[in-house]
Amino acid sequence: MGLPDEPVFLRSNAIIEPLVDRFYAAMHIVAPVQASMNLANVHVPLLESYLQNPQVHLAASNNPALRGGYFVNIEESRSNEVAELLDGIKRDRADMLAFAAAIADAESMLEQHARGFDLTPLYPRLPSPLNGLVELAYDTGSQPSMRYIEPLVYTSPVYDRGRQSVQLSLDDGVERPFILSTPRLPMPGVLDLPLQFDHPGLDALFAARTTATTFGRLREALELDDGQAAQLATLLSDAPSLSPDRHIENGGRIRYFGHACLVLQTPDVAIVTDPFISTDNRHGDRYTLDDLPDRIDYVLITHGHQDHIVLETLLALRGRMGAVVVPRSSRGSLCDPSIGLYLKAIGFNVIEVDDFDEVPFEGGRIAATPFLGEHADLDVRAKSTFIVQLAGASAFIGADSSGIDPVLYRYIRRRFGKVDMAFLGMECDGAPLTWGYQGLLTRPVTKKMSDSRRLSGSNAKQAADVMRELDADEAYIYAMGEESWQGHVMATTYNEDTFQLKQIDEFLGWCTDQGITAEHLFNRREWRW
């Protein structure tokens, strides 16, 4: 690196990995109620299991058949560091662990004593960590429940911002291993910073992708010592690597950036859906961060699963966003944390929408539409599909919504008219209930029960029903984790005999018979009009 005041830019392939207690940050391990449960019920037992037999975890982590399983992929020679991490969690996160234990105790108390009569006498019996943070209630069938007052939990000792840190490194093009179950220990060539996710230095760093700054300013903004500053220098370049066609001068354009990420543009507005974007620009077979417009007016988040609300991409884009549009939750449900509160707490400008709310912009509108299924039959309401109308065209952003009740899509068409393009996920044999929600379950479920409740989107028939009811002219199916830069989060493995791919082929055949343009997307695609 040159002089401290020479202009520099952040390299295109710079990666940020947001961490909580060194685990990769997904919403359910940051939002405080769910984070407490996952810390107590998933991460602590996982680390304890690893320390009992590291070799079992290593063997499982390297077994392709077990890809995506919850195993710790750390060499036994570093097990002492894992032990130190576990000891620190038990010592420093005592409030969170006590909160999780209190939830279990309170649920048991409700099961025993809430029998349809007045709940007032049960408040004094609540474990003290819950005092002031919950409300007890019955549904109309006299089934008791506990509602968490989430805004207050974010101000309580349960939301420990000291858990947060980041790792910065360069994408070397090698697919990262599954990351959700393995803590990220310090590594050579990786810049570890004890910064909270809303630290302004991170926005200063990522602004340097599009606007020149200086090494000295970045060092000061990130509060680096000499050793850290030397590592920062490896992330910087003397020139940007932005794509010259990242903006458009007329008409409309949609670009597919992989998985469920679309960039919808006119000369006046840019909208990004579920951003999960490659940082490796060497191949020419994909759009990367280099291809994003300098200003993003709206980011649409369809739901809270870790492949749709990807904090590592969101943090890299926060400084150039107008607002994040998110579906409103049911307020205080254990399985349904508020996406809005989560993002606001880490520095994002948020617009929350209910079904059929609209966000107008010059020349178009964004409309939130219902999202069915895909959450293992849990009462999760923070999920939304979207209709985006711009430059005279309309697109249905279907994410992983299921066509289990086709009549819903008839109502959507009646309200918003015919859809030109429909984008759908067809992960129709998704992971079982316990893969995504084990840490939140307060009552055990059998394997048979868990396997029957899956994180599944539409199969061929359901996707066809969606298309028929929307009267859409074109159908596009997301790649659903097949792209190479997503394995660390997705851990999907498909082959020609995979049920999901056969269902997609069946759906594409149906589209051909109906005269509908259809395609299974992969890596990149562009539409102009």
Side-chain angles (χ1 to χ4, degrees):
M1 189 66 10
L3 297 175
D5 58 352
E6 291 181 347
V8 295
F9 294 85
L10 182 65
R11 292 185 183 276
S12 172
N13 63 331
I15 298 172
I16 182 172
E17 290 186 354
L19 309 177
V20 284
D21 286 328
R22 294 211 162 267
F23 283 93
Y24 189 78
M27 184 174 69
H28 280 202
I29 64 169
V30 178
V33 175
Q34 296 72 25
S36 298
M37 294 291 282
N38 276 298
L39 190 66
N41 300 331
V42 176
H43 289 153
V44 166
L46 181 66
L47 297 180
E48 289 175 336
S49 172
Y50 167 82
L51 290 171
Q52 289 172 3
N53 198 330
Q55 288 303 319
V56 168
H57 279 257
L58 281 169
S61 297
N62 292 293
N63 182 346
L66 298 177
R67 190 181 187 210
Y70 272 67
F71 305 102
V72 176
N73 188 14
I74 293 176
E75 293 296 330
E76 187 172 5
S77 61
R78 304 192 71 179
S79 61
N80 61 317
E81 296 174 71
V82 177
E84 290 173 6
L85 173 62
L86 178 59
D87 289 344
I89 288 172
K90 290 181 175 179
R91 179 186 66 246
D92 301 331
R93 313 301 175 222
D95 287 326
M96 296 180 69
L97 296 174
F99 191 79
I103 289 173
D105 290 344
E107 292 276 3
S108 178
M109 185 266 289
L110 286 178
E111 185 176 357
Q112 294 177 48
H113 300 290
R115 301 295 179 88
F117 295 95
D118 179 20
L119 292 171
T120 303
L122 299 186
Y123 278 86
R125 303 179 67 168
L126 286 169
S128 60
L130 301 182
N131 292 157
L133 299 177
V134 301
E135 180 184 21
L136 307 180
Y138 290 117
D139 64 18
T140 54
S142 294
Q143 295 299 310
S145 65
M146 189 160 54
R147 180 179 76 86
Y148 302 86
I149 306 173
E150 274 191 277
L152 291 183
V153 185
Y154 273 93
T155 68
S156 77
V158 178
Y159 184 57
D160 189 344
R161 292 155 58 88
R163 303 179 73 209
Q164 298 174 7
S165 65
V166 300
Q167 284 191 337
L168 298 163
S169 60
L170 292 176
D171 188 342
D172 60 4
V174 176
E175 183 176 348
R176 286 181 273 173
F178 182 66
I179 203 173
L180 298 184
S181 61
T182 297
R184 303 293 277 174
L185 301 180
M187 297 286 290
V190 173
L191 176 56
D192 264 292
L193 297 178
L195 301 181
Q196 296 168 358
F197 298 154
D198 61 353
H199 194 286
L202 296 177
D203 288 340
L205 176 66
F206 288 107
R209 273 210 170 97
T210 58
T211 305
T213 185
T214 67
F215 178 79
R217 288 194 198 116
L218 288 179
R219 175 173 180 170
E220 181 179 3
L222 294 168
E223 306 172 56
L224 305 183
D225 61 28
D226 289 346
Q228 293 169 330
Q231 188 63 49
L232 172 66
T234 67
L235 305 178
L236 305 177
S237 171
D238 59 3
S241 58
L242 302 172
S243 298
D245 65 347
R246 63 192 186 279
H247 304 117
I248 61 172
E249 296 181 357
N250 54 69
R253 179 172 76 181
I254 298 176
R255 281 179 163 179
Y256 174 69
F257 274 62
H259 197 48
C261 181
L262 301 169
V263 177
L264 304 95
Q265 290 177 268
T266 71
D268 301 312
V269 70
I271 300 166
V272 181
T273 71
D274 291 343
F276 187 3
I277 299 174
S278 175
T279 52
D280 187 356
N281 67 352
R282 298 172 300 173
H283 305 282
D285 64 346
R286 69 195 65 171
Y287 295 120
T288 71
L289 294 175
D290 289 345
D291 299 288
L292 287 173
D294 295 347
R295 172 70 176 175
I296 298 168
D297 298 281
Y298 301 101
V299 168
L300 311 184
I301 300 296
T302 59
H303 61 297
H305 288 161
Q306 72 276 356
D307 55 321
H308 291 263
I309 182 167
V310 182
L311 193 55
E312 95 174 52
T313 302
L314 288 173
L315 286 178
L317 302 181
R318 182 174 56 196
R320 66 168 96 171
M321 289 181 189
V324 187
V325 180
V326 305
R328 195 182 304 277
S329 73
S330 54
R331 292 187 61 210
S333 166
L334 181 57
C335 67
D336 191 22
S338 168
I339 299 175
L341 282 174
Y342 162 65
L343 291 176
K344 288 175 187 176
I346 51 181
F348 290 87
N349 180 34
V350 174
I351 298 172
E352 289 187 287
V353 291
D354 289 312
D355 290 340
F356 299 107
D357 282 349
E358 297 183 16
V359 179
F361 56 84
E362 184 177 353
R365 62 177 170 171
I366 299 161
T369 46
F371 183 136
L372 291 183
E374 213 261 334
H375 287 70
D377 299 323
L378 291 170
D379 186 16
V380 174
R381 304 182 194 184
K383 56 183 182 177
S384 182
T385 58
F386 293 95
I387 297 279
V388 178
Q389 297 173 335
L390 79 171
S394 64
F396 175 66
I397 312 301
D400 299 324
S401 184
S402 172
I404 49 178
D405 187 350
V407 178
L408 166 66
Y409 303 93
R410 188 179 309 166
Y411 280 108
I412 292 174
R413 177 167 54 87
R414 286 176 182 172
R415 182 146 183 166
F416 297 105
K418 178 181 173 65
V419 170
D420 297 308
M421 307 167 72
F423 295 89
L424 305 172
M426 286 184 61
E427 175 50 79
C428 48
D429 187 22
L433 165 68
T434 51
W435 187 86
Y437 292 96
Q438 177 67 47
L440 305 185
L441 300 179
T442 56
R443 294 183 184 177
V445 297
T446 65
K447 184 178 185 303
K448 185 176 181 180
M449 185 184 297
S450 174
D451 288 347
S452 78
R453 296 167 56 185
R454 307 190 79 87
L455 308 179
S456 295
S458 292
N459 59 26
K461 180 183 182 306
Q462 291 163 348
D465 287 340
V466 171
M467 291 297 297
R468 185 183 294 110
E469 296 297 346
L470 291 177
D471 194 22
D473 295 322
E474 302 173 34
Y476 298 99
I477 307 303
Y478 303 131
M480 304 182 306
E482 296 173 270
E483 288 119 349
S484 63
W485 63 90
Q486 297 159 7
H488 62 295
V489 171
M490 297 289 291
T492 49
T493 303
Y494 298 131
N495 58 52
E496 60 184 13
D497 295 321
T498 299
F499 176 71
Q500 293 94 319
L501 298 188
K502 289 186 174 182
Q503 286 292 292
I504 290 171
D505 287 343
E506 181 179 329
F507 171 69
L508 296 179
W510 177 87
C511 288
T512 298
D513 293 342
Q514 303 300 313
I516 296 171
T517 299
E519 186 178 333
H520 183 195
L521 301 173
F522 182 72
N523 275 10
R524 64 181 281 173
R525 179 76 154 80
E526 179 181 279
W527 301 262
R528 286 295 305 262
W529 64 95

